[in-house]
Amino acid sequence: MEKNNEQKRLEDIASDSKYAMGANFFTIKHSFEVFKKNFVKGSLLEMGPAEGIMTDELYPLFDDYTLVEGSGKFCEDLKNRFPKINVIHSLFEEFNDDKKFDNIILGHVLEHVENPVEILKVAKNFLSKKGKIFAAVPNADSLHRQAAVLMGMLSSVYQLNEADIYHGHRRVYNREQFRNDFVNAGLKILEIGGYWLKPVSNKQIEETWTNEMLKAFMILGEKYPEIAGEIYVIATL
């Protein structure tokens, strides 16, 4: 990975990011609801918070809070909004700290990075003995992706669609691939699941759905993780 190229790529994405808009906003908020039931009392490292949607929820819960973000634009905004947090501007591969953390969050990060197993190894290196890693990514087998293949809009569920490319995604995971990355990083999986039963695209949803509908379908996805729009893993040493 060329540092300058990756840094420019992150700043380009941050300059017109839409992660904090529409259905994406509700998706990240719901991942917090899924994760918080398993938090460990103690410290927190958030890797790649972007606009800080989940940071808003985490901020009141943790006094010992560090975040590392590759975009300088996002870092400046996060420093202003969250004065208690230790905000570090760094690529994950170059992040260094001599402390261990009890909770490490990679919310919608691993689909972006060049080598997700190496990033998980970085996270593992900073995890305390009692700690947990929380990660979420889009699901290749989501109902809406399978429908797109049947309609000829995607050649396969793994093809990056227009939104994936816009957000800087490098891959779309299925559950087995997601699990394997954690295993290959030497981590023990405590829980794997899903949320957000997503039948159609974000654009179609945002044109007609109410917030109540979004919340209901987020929860429904927890019952049908194989075809949910998002999948998550909670792991430990």
Side-chain angles (χ1 to χ4, degrees):
M1 178 190 69
E2 291 287 337
K3 175 182 176 180
N4 291 340
N5 290 345
E6 186 67 9
Q7 198 73 62
K8 182 179 183 304
R9 178 177 177 271
L10 291 173
E11 297 300 349
D12 287 345
I13 293 167
S15 68
D16 192 25
S17 175
K18 291 185 171 63
Y19 257 122
M21 299 171 61
N24 285 330
F25 176 87
F26 287 90
T27 301
I28 297 169
K29 290 286 189 183
H30 194 77
S31 64
F32 165 79
E33 296 297 326
V34 171
F35 290 161
K36 74 175 183 179
K37 296 174 282 188
N38 289 279
F39 287 154
V40 178
K41 186 176 181 180
S43 57
L44 171 70
L45 172 64
E46 187 179 10
M47 300 176 69
E51 290 98 333
I53 299 170
M54 192 181 297
T55 315
D56 275 325
E57 306 295 332
L58 295 166
Y59 190 60
L61 303 182
F62 294 93
D63 292 323
D64 187 349
Y65 194 150
T66 297
L67 65 79
V68 55
E69 167 60 50
S71 163
K73 178 181 182 300
F74 284 149
C75 282
E76 286 304 311
D77 179 57
L78 293 163
K79 285 178 183 178
N80 292 331
R81 287 165 54 201
F82 305 107
K84 288 193 305 181
I85 297 178
N86 179 26
V87 177
I88 298 174
H89 180 206
S90 173
L91 298 177
F92 300 140
E93 296 86 351
E94 299 177 352
F95 172 57
N96 192 24
D97 200 307
D98 58 4
K99 71 181 293 182
K100 303 289 185 180
F101 297 90
D102 301 308
N103 304 272
I104 298 179
I105 293 183
L106 298 108
H108 299 86
V109 163
L110 296 176
E111 69 269 32
H112 290 266
V113 299
E114 193 169 45
N115 191 327
V117 174
E118 290 306 310
I119 299 306
L120 285 170
K121 288 179 179 178
V122 169
K124 177 186 174 184
N125 186 53
F126 296 114
L127 192 64
S128 72
K129 290 182 179 179
K130 68 174 184 177
K132 295 177 181 177
I133 292 177
F134 303 83
V137 296
N139 182 15
D141 291 323
S142 172
L143 194 62
H144 81 290
R145 285 186 177 271
Q146 294 192 53
V149 172
L150 291 174
M151 292 186 288
M153 298 173 67
L154 295 176
S155 60
S156 82
V157 293
Y158 303 104
Q159 180 185 340
L160 296 178
N161 61 31
E162 185 177 339
D164 290 317
I165 294 167
Y166 184 89
H167 292 307
H169 295 175
R170 284 184 160 117
R171 67 191 56 80
V172 187
Y173 281 97
N174 65 24
R175 279 160 54 96
E176 183 180 1
Q177 291 165 339
F178 197 32
R179 181 195 298 272
N180 286 345
D181 275 0
F182 282 82
V183 172
N184 291 334
L187 289 159
K188 177 184 176 183
I189 293 175
L190 299 174
E191 183 177 328
I192 184 166
Y195 59 94
W196 186 203
L197 191 62
K198 181 180 177 181
V200 292
S201 71
N202 280 6
K203 182 180 178 182
Q204 292 167 303
I205 288 166
E206 289 158 6
E207 286 173 350
T208 57
W209 285 32
T210 64
N211 290 351
E212 290 75 18
M213 292 172 69
L214 276 164
K215 183 176 181 180
F217 276 80
M218 291 288 169
I219 296 169
L220 273 175
E222 296 182 44
K223 296 184 177 182
Y224 305 100
E226 294 84 1
I227 58 170
E230 307 285 322
I231 47 180
Y232 69 88
V233 159
I234 302 172
T236 191
L237 295 176

